[in-house]
Amino acid sequence: MLIKRPARIKPSEITDEALYRDRRRFLELSSKSLLALGAAAVVGCDSNEAVAVSQAPPASAGALRSLGALKSSAFSTSEPSNSFDDISSYNNFYEFGTRKTDPANNSGSLRTDPWSIEIEGAVEKPGRIALEDLMKPHALEERIYRLRCVEAWSMVVPWVGIPLGDVLKRFKPTSNAKYVEFTTLYDPEQMPGQDIPVLDWPYVEGLRIDEAVHPLTILGVGLYGKVLPNQCGAPIRLVVPWKYGFKSIKSIVKIRLLEREPKTSWNVAGPREYGFYANVNPDVDHPRWSQNRERRIGSLLKQKTLPFNGYADDVASLYRGMDLRKFF
Ligand code: MTE
C-alpha cells in the first residue's frame, strides 16, 4: 500500500527532501521501540516481498480462546485454507507498523476486553453496546473466504463471524441510511503506529448499504475456530470478500449509518490509487500493481485473479449499470 506523507504533502509531490524530513519527524516522534522500524517513512509494501518473511514468533493458536460450535456456510470455498501461521504472521495493520511482520510482533499492547462499539447516525436505536451483547443473539458461522489484497497477494481464511446485515437490523436503520462508515480504535498508547502519520488516523472504511447487508459481508470475530489474534483485527473486524483487503477494517469501535458516502482512509491518502468501491477487478490495474494475477501466500506460482474475487455470481448485480473503471 502507498504510505502517505503528512497531510499537506500530496503523493505526487513526494521528493527526496520530503522523504528526508519525514524520516526526521518519524525519528522525533519515536521513543518507542516500534518506531525503530525505519521502513515506516518509506514506501511500504512490495508485492515481490518474500513469502516467508516472518522471523518473529507468530501468535500461537493454542493460546487463543475457542469459540465453540459453529454453523457451516454454503458461502465457504472448498479451496484449502492458509495455515494459522500464514494468516497471523503476514499482516497489514499499520497501527502496529508497516512491515508484514510488525502486527504480529507489536500488537500485544492492544487490549480487546472490555470492548464496545458505538452505533450512530441514521438508526432509530443508536447507542454504545458491549461486544458480548452485540454478539449474543447471533449464531457464529464459519466462513472460509478468499482474501485478495490490492498488493496482489491472496490467502484463504477460515473466518468465524456473523452477518453484518443481521447486526445492523437490530439498530433499525432509517430510510436515510445509504452508507455505512466503520472506524478503528484510536489510541496511540495501544496502537503505537498511530504516532506515525502514514494515514489520517483513525482508520476509516465504508460500504454502500446494499453491500453492507449483503449476506457475504460479515463481522469477523475469529479464525480457525478461535478468537481473532490481535494482529488480525481483534476483537472484531469487517470481512468483505469480493473487495480488496483494505476495505476489511480491523478492531472496529464505531459504526455510523450515513446518507452520504463516507471519506475512507486509503481513498483520502491516494484517491487515484484506492477507490471507494475497491471491488477486486483484474481489468483495472492499480498504478503500481497489475491486478490481473495474484500470489497465493504459500504458493510459488501466480494465479489469475477473478472478477469480484470469484464472488461475481453473488455480487455483480449490485453494480449493474455502473462503469467499474470509473467507480473502481
Ligand atoms: N484495518 C486497519 N485498522 N488498519 C490497517 O492497516 N489494513 C487493511 C485491512 N484492514 C488495515 C486494516 C489491509 S491493507 C488489508 S490487506 C487487510 O486488513 C489485511 O488483513 P490481514 O492482515 O488479516 O490479512
Side-chain angles (χ1 to χ4, degrees):
M1 308 286 290
L2 168 108
I3 297 197
K4 194 181 168 235
R5 281 352 82 173
R8 62 191 177 281
I9 304 171
K10 293 195 198 121
S12 58
E13 294 169 343
I14 294 167
T15 62
D16 287 349
E17 193 193 345
L19 190 65
Y20 166 79
R21 272 202 240 104
D22 203 39
R23 271 180 199 262
R24 273 204 70 91
R25 174 156 187 212
F26 163 74
L27 289 170
E28 280 159 17
L29 279 166
S30 161
S31 59
K32 299 173 183 156
S33 62
L34 166 75
L35 303 185
L37 57 76
V42 293
V43 172
C45 309
D46 173 358
S47 58
N48 295 318
E49 203 172 351
V51 176
V53 288
S54 178
Q55 301 303 315
S60 116
L64 297 165
R65 181 168 58 84
S66 171
L67 285 165
L70 305 175
K71 261 178 33 176
S72 60
S73 167
F75 286 125
S76 286
T77 174
S78 55
E79 289 166 76
S81 293
N82 280 87
S83 68
F84 179 86
D85 282 359
D86 285 344
I87 298 167
S88 62
S89 64
Y90 190 86
N91 297 101
N92 277 338
F93 199 172
Y94 280 11
E95 286 86 339
F96 297 103
T98 56
R99 293 176 302 193
K100 293 287 181 284
T101 48
D102 288 333
N105 284 338
N106 300 327
S107 61
S109 50
L110 175 63
R111 294 186 299 275
T112 58
D113 187 15
W115 193 272
S116 62
I117 297 189
E118 229 178 313
I119 316 276
E120 286 184 1
V123 285
E124 284 175 26
K125 298 169 74 181
R128 180 180 290 280
I129 184 164
L131 181 63
E132 49 280 17
D133 296 331
L134 187 89
M135 303 303 301
K136 207 180 275 169
H138 304 279
L140 290 177
E141 297 182 31
E142 180 172 70
R143 298 278 185 110
I144 307 172
Y145 283 165
R146 292 176 288 277
L147 169 77
R148 169 63 158 80
C149 179
V150 73
E151 297 158 351
W153 55 264
S154 65
M155 293 198 200
V156 175
V157 183
W159 300 110
V160 178
I162 55 177
L164 173 63
D166 292 352
V167 172
L168 292 180
K169 231 186 269 170
R170 289 165 53 202
F171 298 89
K172 297 198 183 297
T174 70
S175 57
N176 289 334
K178 308 237 168 44
Y179 293 89
V180 188
E181 177 197 75
F182 306 86
T183 306
T184 292
L185 176 71
Y186 178 74
D187 183 348
E189 287 291 315
Q190 295 185 60
M191 295 181 151
Q194 290 174 334
D195 278 338
I196 310 166
V198 289
L199 287 171
D200 289 336
W201 307 112
Y203 197 103
V204 175
E205 257 310 333
L207 295 173
R208 224 170 49 188
I209 190 78
D210 57 342
E211 299 175 324
V213 302
H214 190 283
L216 273 173
T217 306
I218 59 167
L219 286 171
V221 293
L223 61 89
Y224 272 111
K226 311 253 177 117
V227 294
L228 285 174
N230 286 359
Q231 61 268 35
C232 295
I236 186 162
R237 69 176 286 169
L238 189 64
V239 180
V240 197
W242 71 95
K243 292 181 180 283
Y244 293 117
F246 68 87
K247 297 299 283 184
S248 290
I249 180 172
K250 298 177 169 183
S251 304
I252 297 167
V253 290
K254 188 158 73 178
I255 299 178
R256 202 152 64 108
L257 287 95
L258 298 171
E259 187 153 20
R260 292 183 193 283
E261 186 180 294
K263 289 195 164 131
T264 55
S265 293
W266 281 106
N267 183 241
V268 167
R272 280 190 239 119
E273 302 193 17
Y274 308 103
F276 174 80
Y277 282 91
N279 293 318
V280 175
N281 189 342
D283 297 331
V284 177
D285 285 338
H286 180 279
R288 274 175 290 131
W289 299 293
S290 162
Q291 297 302 340
N292 202 259
R293 300 173 77 73
E294 66 198 54
R295 180 171 52 84
R296 179 69 49 88
I297 299 299
S299 159
L300 289 176
L301 298 176
K302 288 196 171 178
Q303 61 189 68
K304 271 192 87 56
T305 288
L306 298 172
F308 299 103
N309 202 20
Y311 298 95
D313 287 352
D314 298 298
V315 299
S317 62
L318 298 179
Y319 308 101
R320 198 167 286 137
M322 284 175 68
D323 178 353
L324 297 180
R325 291 191 169 273
K326 189 168 164 209
F327 297 100
F328 62 92

PDB file of all heavy atoms in Angstrom, residues 64-85:
ATOM      1  N   LEU A  64      -5.243 -18.985  22.227  1.00  0.00           N
ATOM      2  CA  LEU A  64      -6.461 -18.213  21.981  1.00  0.00           C
ATOM      3  C   LEU A  64      -7.704 -18.990  22.391  1.00  0.00           C
ATOM      4  O   LEU A  64      -7.755 -20.218  22.264  1.00  0.00           O
ATOM      5  CB  LEU A  64      -6.545 -17.847  20.495  1.00  0.00           C
ATOM      6  CG  LEU A  64      -5.407 -16.946  19.992  1.00  0.00           C
ATOM      7  CD1 LEU A  64      -5.368 -16.931  18.470  1.00  0.00           C
ATOM      8  CD2 LEU A  64      -5.573 -15.533  20.542  1.00  0.00           C
ATOM      9  N   ARG A  65      -8.728 -18.251  22.863  1.00  0.00           N
ATOM     10  CA  ARG A  65      -9.966 -18.879  23.349  1.00  0.00           C
ATOM     11  C   ARG A  65     -10.757 -19.468  22.187  1.00  0.00           C
ATOM     12  O   ARG A  65     -10.904 -18.854  21.136  1.00  0.00           O
ATOM     13  CB  ARG A  65     -10.814 -17.819  24.074  1.00  0.00           C
ATOM     14  CG  ARG A  65     -12.125 -18.337  24.660  1.00  0.00           C
ATOM     15  CD  ARG A  65     -12.731 -17.294  25.588  1.00  0.00           C
ATOM     16  NE  ARG A  65     -12.979 -16.022  24.935  1.00  0.00           N
ATOM     17  CZ  ARG A  65     -14.059 -15.734  24.214  1.00  0.00           C
ATOM     18  NH1 ARG A  65     -15.000 -16.651  24.016  1.00  0.00           N
ATOM     19  NH2 ARG A  65     -14.206 -14.548  23.667  1.00  0.00           N
ATOM     20  N   SER A  66     -11.261 -20.674  22.412  1.00  0.00           N
ATOM     21  CA  SER A  66     -12.067 -21.331  21.391  1.00  0.00           C
ATOM     22  C   SER A  66     -13.476 -20.730  21.380  1.00  0.00           C
ATOM     23  O   SER A  66     -14.010 -20.348  22.419  1.00  0.00           O
ATOM     24  CB  SER A  66     -12.112 -22.824  21.710  1.00  0.00           C
ATOM     25  OG  SER A  66     -13.045 -23.419  20.857  1.00  0.00           O
ATOM     26  N   LEU A  67     -14.075 -20.660  20.206  1.00  0.00           N
ATOM     27  CA  LEU A  67     -15.401 -20.030  20.091  1.00  0.00           C
ATOM     28  C   LEU A  67     -16.549 -21.044  20.116  1.00  0.00           C
ATOM     29  O   LEU A  67     -17.705 -20.671  19.966  1.00  0.00           O
ATOM     30  CB  LEU A  67     -15.457 -19.202  18.804  1.00  0.00           C
ATOM     31  CG  LEU A  67     -14.681 -17.877  18.896  1.00  0.00           C
ATOM     32  CD1 LEU A  67     -14.448 -17.285  17.512  1.00  0.00           C
ATOM     33  CD2 LEU A  67     -15.395 -16.878  19.792  1.00  0.00           C
ATOM     34  N   GLY A  68     -16.238 -22.309  20.299  1.00  0.00           N
ATOM     35  CA  GLY A  68     -17.306 -23.309  20.439  1.00  0.00           C
ATOM     36  C   GLY A  68     -17.916 -23.699  19.106  1.00  0.00           C
ATOM     37  O   GLY A  68     -17.275 -23.584  18.059  1.00  0.00           O
ATOM     38  N   ALA A  69     -19.193 -24.126  19.178  1.00  0.00           N
ATOM     39  CA  ALA A  69     -19.833 -24.688  17.982  1.00  0.00           C
ATOM     40  C   ALA A  69     -20.072 -23.599  16.931  1.00  0.00           C
ATOM     41  O   ALA A  69     -20.449 -22.482  17.267  1.00  0.00           O
ATOM     42  CB  ALA A  69     -21.166 -25.307  18.372  1.00  0.00           C
ATOM     43  N   LEU A  70     -19.850 -23.958  15.686  1.00  0.00           N
ATOM     44  CA  LEU A  70     -20.005 -23.004  14.586  1.00  0.00           C
ATOM     45  C   LEU A  70     -20.942 -23.579  13.541  1.00  0.00           C
ATOM     46  O   LEU A  70     -20.884 -24.772  13.239  1.00  0.00           O
ATOM     47  CB  LEU A  70     -18.654 -22.738  13.920  1.00  0.00           C
ATOM     48  CG  LEU A  70     -17.506 -22.274  14.811  1.00  0.00           C
ATOM     49  CD1 LEU A  70     -16.215 -22.189  13.992  1.00  0.00           C
ATOM     50  CD2 LEU A  70     -17.830 -20.920  15.428  1.00  0.00           C
ATOM     51  N   LYS A  71     -21.777 -22.720  12.977  1.00  0.00           N
ATOM     52  CA  LYS A  71     -22.593 -23.122  11.823  1.00  0.00           C
ATOM     53  C   LYS A  71     -21.698 -23.129  10.589  1.00  0.00           C
ATOM     54  O   LYS A  71     -20.855 -22.245  10.442  1.00  0.00           O
ATOM     55  CB  LYS A  71     -23.670 -22.051  11.582  1.00  0.00           C
ATOM     56  CG  LYS A  71     -25.017 -22.399  12.152  1.00  0.00           C
ATOM     57  CD  LYS A  71     -26.102 -21.377  11.979  1.00  0.00           C
ATOM     58  CE  LYS A  71     -26.206 -20.485  10.796  1.00  0.00           C
ATOM     59  NZ  LYS A  71     -27.387 -19.615  10.787  1.00  0.00           N
ATOM     60  N   SER A  72     -21.896 -24.096   9.693  1.00  0.00           N
ATOM     61  CA  SER A  72     -21.135 -24.020   8.445  1.00  0.00           C
ATOM     62  C   SER A  72     -21.941 -23.175   7.453  1.00  0.00           C
ATOM     63  O   SER A  72     -23.124 -22.907   7.684  1.00  0.00           O
ATOM     64  CB  SER A  72     -20.843 -25.408   7.898  1.00  0.00           C
ATOM     65  OG  SER A  72     -22.053 -26.058   7.665  1.00  0.00           O
ATOM     66  N   SER A  73     -21.309 -22.785   6.373  1.00  0.00           N
ATOM     67  CA  SER A  73     -21.986 -21.882   5.449  1.00  0.00           C
ATOM     68  C   SER A  73     -21.784 -22.326   4.016  1.00  0.00           C
ATOM     69  O   SER A  73     -20.679 -22.720   3.617  1.00  0.00           O
ATOM     70  CB  SER A  73     -21.425 -20.470   5.624  1.00  0.00           C
ATOM     71  OG  SER A  73     -21.847 -19.653   4.552  1.00  0.00           O
ATOM     72  N   ALA A  74     -22.846 -22.198   3.219  1.00  0.00           N
ATOM     73  CA  ALA A  74     -22.753 -22.518   1.792  1.00  0.00           C
ATOM     74  C   ALA A  74     -21.851 -21.526   1.063  1.00  0.00           C
ATOM     75  O   ALA A  74     -21.419 -21.782  -0.062  1.00  0.00           O
ATOM     76  CB  ALA A  74     -24.152 -22.503   1.180  1.00  0.00           C
ATOM     77  N   PHE A  75     -21.555 -20.406   1.690  1.00  0.00           N
ATOM     78  CA  PHE A  75     -20.668 -19.419   1.060  1.00  0.00           C
ATOM     79  C   PHE A  75     -19.192 -19.816   1.152  1.00  0.00           C
ATOM     80  O   PHE A  75     -18.343 -19.193   0.521  1.00  0.00           O
ATOM     81  CB  PHE A  75     -20.828 -18.044   1.714  1.00  0.00           C
ATOM     82  CG  PHE A  75     -22.094 -17.332   1.338  1.00  0.00           C
ATOM     83  CD1 PHE A  75     -22.963 -16.875   2.318  1.00  0.00           C
ATOM     84  CD2 PHE A  75     -22.419 -17.109   0.007  1.00  0.00           C
ATOM     85  CE1 PHE A  75     -24.127 -16.207   1.976  1.00  0.00           C
ATOM     86  CE2 PHE A  75     -23.583 -16.438  -0.345  1.00  0.00           C
ATOM     87  CZ  PHE A  75     -24.445 -15.985   0.639  1.00  0.00           C
ATOM     88  N   SER A  76     -18.874 -20.820   1.981  1.00  0.00           N
ATOM     89  CA  SER A  76     -17.460 -21.170   2.154  1.00  0.00           C
ATOM     90  C   SER A  76     -16.886 -21.798   0.890  1.00  0.00           C
ATOM     91  O   SER A  76     -17.543 -22.605   0.229  1.00  0.00           O
ATOM     92  CB  SER A  76     -17.294 -22.156   3.320  1.00  0.00           C
ATOM     93  OG  SER A  76     -17.457 -21.470   4.543  1.00  0.00           O
ATOM     94  N   THR A  77     -15.642 -21.443   0.592  1.00  0.00           N
ATOM     95  CA  THR A  77     -14.940 -22.074  -0.528  1.00  0.00           C
ATOM     96  C   THR A  77     -14.383 -23.426  -0.078  1.00  0.00           C
ATOM     97  O   THR A  77     -14.092 -23.619   1.112  1.00  0.00           O
ATOM     98  CB  THR A  77     -13.788 -21.183  -1.040  1.00  0.00           C
ATOM     99  OG1 THR A  77     -13.066 -21.908  -2.034  1.00  0.00           O
ATOM    100  CG2 THR A  77     -12.829 -20.778   0.060  1.00  0.00           C
ATOM    101  N   SER A  78     -14.227 -24.335  -1.053  1.00  0.00           N
ATOM    102  CA  SER A  78     -13.593 -25.621  -0.718  1.00  0.00           C
ATOM    103  C   SER A  78     -12.086 -25.566  -0.974  1.00  0.00           C
ATOM    104  O   SER A  78     -11.374 -26.556  -0.778  1.00  0.00           O
ATOM    105  CB  SER A  78     -14.228 -26.749  -1.527  1.00  0.00           C
ATOM    106  OG  SER A  78     -14.146 -26.422  -2.893  1.00  0.00           O
ATOM    107  N   GLU A  79     -11.583 -24.413  -1.414  1.00  0.00           N
ATOM    108  CA  GLU A  79     -10.123 -24.291  -1.594  1.00  0.00           C
ATOM    109  C   GLU A  79      -9.435 -24.462  -0.242  1.00  0.00           C
ATOM    110  O   GLU A  79      -9.988 -24.070   0.787  1.00  0.00           O
ATOM    111  CB  GLU A  79      -9.775 -22.894  -2.131  1.00  0.00           C
ATOM    112  CG  GLU A  79     -10.195 -22.672  -3.564  1.00  0.00           C
ATOM    113  CD  GLU A  79     -10.155 -21.200  -3.928  1.00  0.00           C
ATOM    114  OE1 GLU A  79      -9.061 -20.673  -4.137  1.00  0.00           O
ATOM    115  OE2 GLU A  79     -11.234 -20.595  -3.995  1.00  0.00           O
ATOM    116  N   PRO A  80      -8.215 -25.012  -0.251  1.00  0.00           N
ATOM    117  CA  PRO A  80      -7.531 -25.214   1.039  1.00  0.00           C
ATOM    118  C   PRO A  80      -7.222 -23.886   1.723  1.00  0.00           C
ATOM    119  O   PRO A  80      -6.806 -22.926   1.077  1.00  0.00           O
ATOM    120  CB  PRO A  80      -6.240 -25.936   0.659  1.00  0.00           C
ATOM    121  CG  PRO A  80      -6.142 -25.892  -0.827  1.00  0.00           C
ATOM    122  CD  PRO A  80      -7.469 -25.534  -1.397  1.00  0.00           C
ATOM    123  N   SER A  81      -7.451 -23.849   3.019  1.00  0.00           N
ATOM    124  CA  SER A  81      -7.162 -22.634   3.796  1.00  0.00           C
ATOM    125  C   SER A  81      -5.667 -22.482   3.983  1.00  0.00           C
ATOM    126  O   SER A  81      -4.926 -23.462   4.076  1.00  0.00           O
ATOM    127  CB  SER A  81      -7.807 -22.731   5.182  1.00  0.00           C
ATOM    128  OG  SER A  81      -9.204 -22.703   5.070  1.00  0.00           O
ATOM    129  N   ASN A  82      -5.223 -21.237   4.087  1.00  0.00           N
ATOM    130  CA  ASN A  82      -3.844 -20.980   4.531  1.00  0.00           C
ATOM    131  C   ASN A  82      -3.709 -21.410   5.982  1.00  0.00           C
ATOM    132  O   ASN A  82      -4.702 -21.497   6.717  1.00  0.00           O
ATOM    133  CB  ASN A  82      -3.502 -19.506   4.363  1.00  0.00           C
ATOM    134  CG  ASN A  82      -3.136 -19.173   2.931  1.00  0.00           C
ATOM    135  OD1 ASN A  82      -4.003 -18.880   2.111  1.00  0.00           O
ATOM    136  ND2 ASN A  82      -1.869 -19.288   2.616  1.00  0.00           N
ATOM    137  N   SER A  83      -2.470 -21.649   6.388  1.00  0.00           N
ATOM    138  CA  SER A  83      -2.249 -22.096   7.768  1.00  0.00           C
ATOM    139  C   SER A  83      -2.496 -20.938   8.730  1.00  0.00           C
ATOM    140  O   SER A  83      -2.444 -19.755   8.334  1.00  0.00           O
ATOM    141  CB  SER A  83      -0.804 -22.571   7.933  1.00  0.00           C
ATOM    142  OG  SER A  83       0.068 -21.467   7.810  1.00  0.00           O
ATOM    143  N   PHE A  84      -2.725 -21.263  10.004  1.00  0.00           N
ATOM    144  CA  PHE A  84      -2.861 -20.221  11.030  1.00  0.00           C
ATOM    145  C   PHE A  84      -1.615 -19.338  11.039  1.00  0.00           C
ATOM    146  O   PHE A  84      -1.710 -18.113  11.175  1.00  0.00           O
ATOM    147  CB  PHE A  84      -3.090 -20.853  12.409  1.00  0.00           C
ATOM    148  CG  PHE A  84      -3.203 -19.826  13.494  1.00  0.00           C
ATOM    149  CD1 PHE A  84      -4.414 -19.228  13.780  1.00  0.00           C
ATOM    150  CD2 PHE A  84      -2.080 -19.435  14.216  1.00  0.00           C
ATOM    151  CE1 PHE A  84      -4.517 -18.242  14.763  1.00  0.00           C
ATOM    152  CE2 PHE A  84      -2.166 -18.460  15.199  1.00  0.00           C
ATOM    153  CZ  PHE A  84      -3.393 -17.868  15.477  1.00  0.00           C
ATOM    154  N   ASP A  85      -0.446 -19.958  10.874  1.00  0.00           N
ATOM    155  CA  ASP A  85       0.797 -19.172  10.888  1.00  0.00           C
ATOM    156  C   ASP A  85       0.859 -18.187   9.724  1.00  0.00           C
ATOM    157  O   ASP A  85       1.264 -17.039   9.902  1.00  0.00           O
ATOM    158  CB  ASP A  85       2.024 -20.090  10.867  1.00  0.00           C
ATOM    159  CG  ASP A  85       2.297 -20.685  12.232  1.00  0.00           C
ATOM    160  OD1 ASP A  85       1.551 -20.362  13.177  1.00  0.00           O
ATOM    161  OD2 ASP A  85       3.248 -21.481  12.354  1.00  0.00           O
TER     162      ASP A  85
END
